[in-house]
Amino acid sequence: MTKPYTEEKKKIKIQDITVRDGNQSILATRMKRKDILALVRTLDQVGFESLEVWGGATFDSAFRFLKQSAWTNLREIRKAAPNTKLSMLLRGQNVVGYHHYDNDTLERFVRLTLENGIDIIRIFDALNDPNNLKFSFEFTKKYGGHLQAAIAYTISPVHNNEYYVNLVKTYESMGADSICIKDMAGIISPQTAYDLISDLKQATKLPIHLHSHTTANATPLVMEQAMLAGVDIVDGCISPFSGGTSHLADETLIEVAKLANRSVDLDMAALSDAYELADEIVNDYIASGDLRTRSLIPNPKILTYQVPGGMLSNLLSQLEQQGASDRFNEVLKEVPNVRKDMGYPPLVTPMSQMVGTQSVLNVLLGERYKMIPNEIKDYVQGLYGRAPGELDQDIVDYIMTKSEKKKPTPPEDLPHVYEKNKKIMEEILGREPKEEEVVAYSIFPEPVHNYFIEKKKQVQEGQATSPSTVQPTSNEPIAFRMIPPS
C-alpha cells in the first residue's frame, strides 16, 4: 500500500494530548494543575505540532472536583507553553457542557477561549449534525481561531465512507481549516483508516488529522495505514499516560512513522525528558487509585460495544459506586442494543453518557427502560438534533408515555441568559463579576456556584488553599446528571 511522497508530504506531524484526552481517558480528568503545568512545560520543548490542553470534560472537572478556575488553568498553561500551539475540544452548540446553550453564551465562550491562549478549536457534534455546528464554526472564524472540524467516527448501518466524505465536504463549505477523524472509541480498523483517509484526500485539500484510542489494541496498525494513506497529523500521549482507554504513545508513533516511510521532526532529548517527568507523575495517580488498572487492559470487544475511553472509565466509576463492578461486561453488551434503539448515534459526549447510563439502568434494574433519564426523553423528541438513523418507534412510543412533550428550539432562538446570570453572580461574589465567571456559571451553574462559595468561605476564614493541592471530594463521573424523575 506504500504511496510515493514528495519530501514535504513525507513528514508526519504529532499533536500531544496527554493533559486533555489522556487525562480524561484514564484519570477521569483528575490530573492536578501542578502536574499539568509541569508536563506542559516539558512537552513544549519537544516540537509537537500542537498540544491539546483544554476543553472536553476539563472545564467541568476543574470547577466541580479540583476546585480550580478552568480559565486560570488555561492562562497558566499558555504561559507554560510559549513555543507550541494550543488546542481544545468544543462540543458545538453544547460548548463544553451537555445540552444546547444560547448563541450569546457560545460566542462569549469562543472569544474568551481564543483571548486566553487557545489557537486551534476542534469542534464536533455528537450526532454529526451540521445544524448543531454552524454557530460554533462561525464564531471560531470570526475571532481568528483555527477551525478544526471533527467527524465523530462510528460504525453502523448508516455510517460508511461515503457518509463521512459528504460530511467533510459540508464542513469544508462551512469554513473548516482542517478535518479531524475523531475515533473516540478506538474502533476504526487499519484497512478502514487507509480507505477513509484515501477517500478524504481525494475529496479535499484540507489537512487530515487522526484521533484514535488504543482500547482495542490495534492502533499501531491503524496509524501505520493512516500514514501510508497520507494523513497529515496524528494524536498521541507521552507513554506513561498512554495505552488502554487512552492513546498510542508519542514514542510509538515515531517508530510507526519509520515503518510508513514518514519522517518526524521532534527533539528526541526533550521527549526523553518528558517521559522521565511523566513517569514520576503517574506514580501518584497509581497510588491514589485514580489510574485504574482496568482502564489499561486492552478490550478488543470494544469493536462491538463502541464505548469511548473516557466513558469506559466513568462507567467503571458508576458501577463501583453501586457495588456492581462485576457487571461491567453486562453493561457493555447492553450498550449496542440501546444505541440501535436510539438510531445509531456516535458514542461521544453527551450521547455516550446518555446511552451508557441507560444501559447501566437497564442492567442493574433487570428491566429495559424501567427508568429513563430525562436526557433520553429529550433526545427522542429531537432536542439534541437529528439522529443519524431511524429510532425504534416502539421504544420511542413507550418512552413518550413517561415523558412531557417538548418541541425542539433552534439554537438561534434560545433566550440569552448572560444578564440574568450576571446578577446572580454579583450576589454570589459581592462584586462585579468578570465575563468569564458569568460564562462559566451559565454553562455549569451548580459547580461554579459551589466553587465560588467555597472560595469565599476560605478567604473569610483565612484558610485559602493552593488550588494545585486541593483534592477532589467526590468520585462522581464527569457527566451531566442522568437522574430520572421520582
Side-chain angles (χ1 to χ4, degrees):
M1 291 184 179
T2 303
K3 289 186 172 183
Y5 288 100
T6 64
E7 285 303 310
E8 181 181 1
K9 288 186 177 179
K10 188 177 179 182
K11 186 178 294 184
I12 183 76
K13 298 175 181 178
I14 298 175
Q15 173 178 251
D16 181 90
I17 59 176
T18 302
V19 302
R20 208 292 296 174
D21 204 27
N23 172 21
Q24 184 168 326
S25 295
I26 60 174
L27 297 181
T29 326
R30 298 301 201 276
M31 189 180 288
K32 303 181 187 74
R33 179 191 289 170
K34 66 181 180 66
D35 294 333
I36 289 174
L37 295 178
L39 285 168
V40 166
R41 287 190 192 98
T42 309
L43 294 168
D44 182 51
Q45 305 301 312
V46 177
F48 289 110
E49 171 67 8
S50 51
L51 302 176
E52 188 191 53
V53 297
W54 209 64
T58 64
F59 196 92
D60 184 1
S61 180
F63 287 104
R64 188 188 302 268
F65 298 117
L66 303 178
K67 307 305 177 185
Q68 301 166 353
S69 165
W71 298 108
T72 301
N73 287 352
L74 176 55
R75 286 188 287 271
E76 291 297 313
I77 290 170
R78 179 72 279 176
K79 290 177 186 176
N83 304 306
T84 313
K85 290 178 287 186
L86 301 182
S87 75
M88 72 156 292
L89 183 67
L90 189 76
R91 299 166 178 163
Q93 202 70 35
N94 289 357
V95 197
V96 288
Y98 311 108
H99 61 80
H100 287 183
Y101 296 88
D102 66 274
N103 275 347
D104 181 58
T105 298
L106 173 61
E107 182 170 4
R108 289 175 187 272
F109 183 91
V110 169
R111 174 173 51 77
L112 288 167
T113 293
L114 295 168
E115 288 176 354
N116 281 283
I118 290 296
D119 302 290
I120 302 164
I121 303 185
R122 176 182 289 176
I123 308 177
F124 77 95
D125 174 65
L127 299 175
N128 288 320
D129 185 347
N131 289 328
N132 289 340
L133 294 167
K134 59 184 178 181
F135 294 110
S136 55
F137 281 18
E138 175 187 324
F139 298 145
T140 299
K141 300 292 285 186
K142 178 179 179 179
Y143 294 106
H146 176 106
L147 167 56
Q148 183 170 95
I151 59 176
Y153 180 82
T154 189
I155 301 169
S156 82
V158 299
H159 294 90
N160 54 36
N161 285 6
E162 182 181 2
Y163 169 92
Y164 292 120
V165 167
N166 290 333
L167 189 62
V168 165
K169 289 179 178 177
T170 298
Y171 289 170
E172 184 171 19
S173 72
M174 294 169 69
D177 296 306
S178 62
I179 298 295
C180 174
I181 302 169
K182 181 176 171 56
D183 176 25
M184 57 279 173
I187 58 174
I188 195 168
S189 71
Q191 184 64 54
T192 301
Y194 182 88
D195 292 341
L196 177 56
I197 290 166
S198 297
D199 289 347
L200 293 181
K201 282 292 182 179
Q202 292 293 319
T204 180
K205 294 186 181 300
L206 295 178
I208 305 297
H209 192 143
L210 178 60
H211 169 102
S212 184
H213 290 253
T214 48
T215 317
N217 214 27
T219 319
L221 295 174
V222 168
M223 289 299 181
E224 181 184 13
Q225 292 303 310
M227 291 181 193
L228 288 171
V231 74
D232 300 283
I233 314 167
V234 292
D235 281 348
C237 292
I238 196 69
S239 53
F241 289 96
S242 69
T245 57
S246 183
H247 293 262
L248 202 60
D250 298 326
E251 298 90 334
T252 305
L253 285 169
I254 294 169
E255 296 304 313
V256 171
K258 294 176 183 177
L259 294 175
N261 195 31
R262 304 289 295 272
S263 65
V264 176
D265 186 15
L266 297 177
D267 185 325
M268 303 307 293
L271 184 64
S272 178
D273 291 342
Y275 165 81
E276 295 295 341
L277 175 63
D279 195 48
E280 290 181 17
I281 290 174
V282 77
N283 287 328
D284 292 337
Y285 296 100
I286 294 172
S288 68
D290 285 320
L291 201 166
R292 294 176 173 83
T293 303
R294 185 84 190 187
S295 296
L296 299 176
I297 299 174
N299 187 354
K301 289 188 177 181
I302 204 67
L303 298 173
T304 300
Y305 307 144
Q306 299 191 28
V307 179
M311 192 53 200
L312 278 173
S313 60
N314 283 332
L315 279 175
L316 276 169
S317 179
Q318 287 184 15
L319 290 170
E320 285 171 359
Q321 290 174 52
Q322 299 297 321
S325 58
D326 60 317
R327 307 193 72 180
F328 181 61
N329 284 327
E330 288 181 68
V331 171
L332 290 183
K333 290 177 182 177
E334 175 65 0
V335 165
N337 299 326
V338 174
R339 181 172 176 252
K340 180 181 178 182
D341 296 341
M342 297 296 114
Y344 297 105
L347 292 183
V348 66
T349 301
M351 295 311 306
S352 55
Q353 286 90 341
M354 292 163 65
V355 171
T357 302
Q358 185 66 68
S359 300
V360 169
L361 292 171
N362 288 356
V363 169
L364 296 188
L365 298 177
E367 179 182 334
R368 303 190 79 229
Y369 299 101
K370 182 176 182 179
M371 298 183 74
I372 304 163
N374 291 326
E375 289 80 4
I376 291 287
K377 295 177 182 179
D378 289 346
Y379 170 77
V380 301
Q381 297 183 73
L383 271 67
Y384 284 85
R386 185 179 59 211
E390 293 294 324
L391 281 68
D392 186 307
Q393 195 56 49
D394 290 339
I395 297 294
V396 172
D397 291 344
Y398 176 74
I399 291 173
M400 289 306 300
T401 65
K402 299 188 173 188
S403 306
E404 175 189 352
K405 289 187 179 180
K406 297 179 181 179
K407 185 178 179 181
T409 302
E412 59 269 30
D413 294 337
L414 291 171
H416 294 186
V417 298
Y418 184 85
E419 292 303 325
K420 179 191 72 173
N421 289 338
K422 182 178 179 181
K423 292 178 181 177
I424 294 174
M425 286 300 292
E426 284 177 352
E427 294 179 5
I428 294 171
L429 299 172
R431 60 167 171 80
E432 178 87 6
K434 298 176 183 177
E435 182 183 16
E436 66 184 42
E437 294 169 339
V438 179
V439 170
Y441 179 84
S442 298
I443 299 171
F444 291 116
E446 184 179 352
V448 172
H449 172 273
N450 292 341
Y451 163 75
F452 281 109
I453 291 296
E454 288 183 35
K455 186 177 180 183
K456 189 175 182 180
K457 183 178 179 180
Q458 288 174 352
V459 170
Q460 290 172 344
E461 295 177 354
Q463 297 175 348
T465 306
S466 171
S468 64
T469 61
V470 174
Q471 296 293 319
T473 56
S474 169
N475 288 321
E476 180 185 349
I478 304 286
F480 47 86
R481 294 192 169 192
M482 304 286 292
I483 301 177
S486 57

